[in-house]
Amino acid sequence: MAEKEAISVGNSQSTEARTVQSGLAAPSVGAQSVLQDGLTFTLDYNSDQVVQPFPRSPKLKKKIAKAAQPSQLSRLIEELQAERTKSEAHIQSLKKRKADLSRSTDVMKQKVRERFERIRLILKQDEQAVLDSLELDLRQTRTRLDQVLKGWTQHVDQVSKSISSTQTALSKSPGADSEGVSENLSHKKPDASEREIRLNEERFERLLKTLSSISKSLKAQLQRKTLLLDWLPMVIDRQTCHGQIVVTSEGRGMSFSGTVPSVPEHPLQFDKVCCALGSSPVTVGQSYWEVDVRCCSTWAVGVAYSNLVRKGRDKGAKLGRNRNSWCVELRNGHLSAWHNDRHVACQGVRQTLVERVGVRVNYEKGKLTFYDADSMFVLQTFSAAVTTVFDRAHHQFTAPLYPAIRFLRPPENQTWPNHLQLCHL
């Protein structure tokens, strides 16, 4: 029995040797190479899998990698060349845009020059018309004075003739009676109408006053035109409106109805404070809008963060009475600016004549300015640099700002405010 096992093992070894010598690979892990009883194993010669006799040596791997290296470098060069071509094309595109920007700016400058030239032409024509009017007044006044002067000149001539005739009479008969000579004398007194002959100074003063008003208005409009470049189209967010506020169909006007609706309250709705927010937040850059307050006797116009309290009557829900809102308000005929429950009076403005409130936000600089939109007079500026009364309340805005409007309750002897309107261009 031992001899048979030895013969079997010997045959197996000779078979393996012949396999290696004939160039066949050793069986892989997946090949059928099973040791039976620890003595014999068989090879699966029908397998299609390539069988390696042993792992590749480091030298062979290096040789193969060296042979494949030129193709990888070539591919890398092709990719870099393609990237360079793409980048060069993008550079050319940027250069073209730069040139286009210059050309577009030149066109815009030319159009601006044309517009201002038209304004100058209108002003020059109007100036000439005013000067011509003054010249006409001068000619008419001088004509009337010339007529009066002619009358007095004739009178002087007559008096001179009388003097001459009287002297002649005296030289002929020194003792002659003077009664006959004096009868020829005429006494002329200045006419009261002569005092009225002068330039129309009242008309001239009215002209200067009108020109001054036009100048102020023109200056305000020129300043306003810069703000209008950052105009923010805005409508009321109906979901935030107090239940007694009625919003017009276009979403810009709001009135107090006086009746409490039966519909359920929205979670974003103000339930006690008669307030509403705009739908467009300010998050970057500069923005400007205006609110028409002519038809409202007491109001508040401002901005607020979205976390302004919507429920209840405490200070957290009222514009300007917390850190989340800023406003100017008209109450009892006095205009004041509010933030963080502190306020200052708006000085140097005819408070009861403010008809439109302009609101400008410079978000990056943390600056908020309220204007009288008709005169462009600054009602109040909120800024970390200058508002000491508000304890430098902020250096920058920390969240989106929403336009805010509030109806205030007037005294008992006044009617409830009627209407507020978001202006549009």
Side-chain angles (χ1 to χ4, degrees):
M1 186 66 177
E3 294 178 356
K4 290 182 181 181
E5 292 178 357
I7 294 173
S8 176
V9 171
N11 292 336
S12 299
Q13 293 176 352
S14 61
T15 302
E16 182 180 358
R18 287 194 301 272
T19 301
V20 174
Q21 292 176 359
S22 60
L24 295 176
S28 64
V29 177
Q32 202 176 39
S33 176
V34 182
L35 185 64
Q36 297 179 353
D37 298 332
L39 298 176
T40 63
F41 66 88
T42 59
L43 296 176
D44 185 4
Y45 296 102
N46 297 324
S47 174
D48 295 333
Q49 183 177 355
V50 178
V51 181
Q52 297 293 342
F54 51 83
R56 292 177 177 175
S57 65
K59 186 175 181 180
L60 180 58
K61 289 182 180 181
K62 186 182 295 185
K63 184 177 180 181
I64 294 175
K66 188 175 181 181
Q69 188 174 3
S71 61
Q72 293 178 356
L73 292 177
S74 299
R75 186 166 57 254
L76 179 60
I77 290 174
E78 291 177 357
E79 292 177 355
L80 292 175
Q81 289 176 343
E83 180 65 21
R84 182 177 63 182
T85 302
K86 182 179 178 181
S87 299
E88 289 176 349
H90 186 62
I91 290 173
Q92 293 299 322
S93 174
L94 292 176
K95 289 182 178 179
K96 183 178 181 300
R97 287 178 58 189
K98 183 178 178 180
D100 291 342
L101 285 175
S102 299
R103 286 192 294 269
S104 299
T105 303
D106 291 339
V107 172
M108 292 178 183
K109 287 181 179 179
Q110 182 60 32
K111 291 183 178 180
V112 169
R113 293 190 189 98
E114 292 175 357
R115 297 299 188 277
F116 275 95
E117 185 60 32
R118 292 178 185 176
I119 294 175
R120 283 191 288 269
L121 179 60
I122 293 173
L123 289 175
K124 189 173 182 179
Q125 291 174 347
D126 190 69
E127 177 187 7
Q128 190 61 47
V130 172
L131 294 176
D132 292 343
S133 175
L134 292 175
E135 185 66 25
L136 177 60
D137 189 15
L138 173 62
R139 288 199 301 267
Q140 292 175 348
T141 304
R142 292 177 63 177
T143 300
R144 294 176 62 188
L145 282 175
D146 288 341
Q147 293 174 353
V148 174
L149 181 62
K150 183 179 179 180
W152 279 99
T153 302
Q154 292 174 354
H155 175 68
V156 170
D157 291 341
Q158 292 176 358
V159 172
S160 298
K161 291 178 180 180
S162 297
I163 293 173
S164 178
S165 63
T166 302
Q167 289 176 346
T168 302
L170 286 174
S171 63
K172 290 181 179 181
S173 56
D177 191 2
S178 61
E179 293 182 0
V181 177
S182 62
E183 290 178 358
N184 296 327
L185 294 176
S186 60
H187 299 280
K188 184 176 178 63
K189 295 182 179 180
D191 192 347
S193 61
E194 294 180 9
R195 301 175 183 177
E196 304 298 328
I197 301 176
R198 65 178 187 272
L199 292 175
N200 194 338
E201 296 180 359
E202 293 81 2
R203 185 171 181 269
F204 178 69
E205 292 297 329
R206 288 196 299 269
L207 172 64
L208 292 181
K209 186 176 180 180
T210 302
L211 289 176
S212 177
S213 176
I214 292 174
S215 177
K216 291 180 181 179
S217 177
L218 180 59
K219 181 180 178 181
Q221 291 301 316
L222 290 176
Q223 183 180 357
R224 183 171 178 266
K225 68 131 176 48
T226 303
L227 299 179
L228 293 181
L229 299 178
D230 300 316
W231 184 266
L232 176 66
M234 183 176 48
V235 295
I236 298 296
D237 185 355
R238 299 173 187 271
Q239 294 180 345
T240 66
C241 291
H242 182 272
Q244 293 177 278
I245 294 178
V246 178
V247 181
T248 56
S249 59
E250 73 277 7
R252 288 190 295 267
M254 50 186 291
S255 301
F256 186 81
S257 65
T259 59
V260 179
S262 58
V263 296
E265 293 183 356
H266 193 277
L268 299 179
Q269 182 180 8
F270 291 90
D271 65 343
K272 300 298 182 182
V273 179
C274 195
C275 186
L277 301 182
S279 61
S280 301
V282 179
T283 57
V284 293
Q286 301 183 63
S287 299
Y288 177 78
W289 65 91
E290 295 176 353
V291 181
D292 191 331
V293 296
R294 288 176 296 178
C295 297
C296 191
S297 59
T298 177
W299 45 263
V301 173
V303 297
Y305 291 140
S306 61
N307 59 353
L308 184 68
V309 177
R310 313 296 175 89
K311 309 302 180 182
R313 295 182 181 274
D314 60 2
K315 294 180 179 180
K318 298 178 180 180
L319 292 182
R321 275 41 175 201
N322 48 72
R323 289 184 174 271
N324 297 323
S325 61
W326 299 255
C327 75
V328 292
E329 67 177 41
L330 179 67
R331 186 191 295 267
N332 298 328
H334 299 286
L335 194 63
S336 57
W338 287 79
H339 174 62
N340 197 25
D341 203 26
R342 297 189 177 188
H343 71 281
V344 293
C346 298
Q347 303 293 337
V349 61
R350 293 177 297 177
Q351 302 174 4
T352 57
L353 297 181
V354 175
E355 296 184 348
R356 285 183 300 147
V357 178
V359 185
R360 187 189 190 190
V361 177
N362 189 325
Y363 195 85
E364 278 74 19
K365 291 186 177 181
K367 187 175 181 180
L368 171 65
T369 306
F370 293 95
Y371 296 89
D372 178 349
D374 293 315
S375 66
M376 296 313 300
F377 183 85
V378 176
L379 303 177
Q380 179 63 35
T381 297
F382 291 95
S383 174
V386 295
T387 53
T388 55
V389 69
F390 300 107
D391 293 335
R392 298 174 63 88
H394 66 277
H395 293 271
Q396 63 181 7
F397 296 117
T398 58
L401 286 173
Y402 289 84
I405 297 175
R406 181 190 173 192
F407 287 111
L408 302 178
R409 185 177 295 277
E412 295 298 331
N413 58 347
Q414 296 183 14
T415 58
W416 185 264
N418 182 24
H419 186 74
L420 293 170
Q421 179 82 24
L422 295 174
C423 303
H424 67 285
L425 293 178

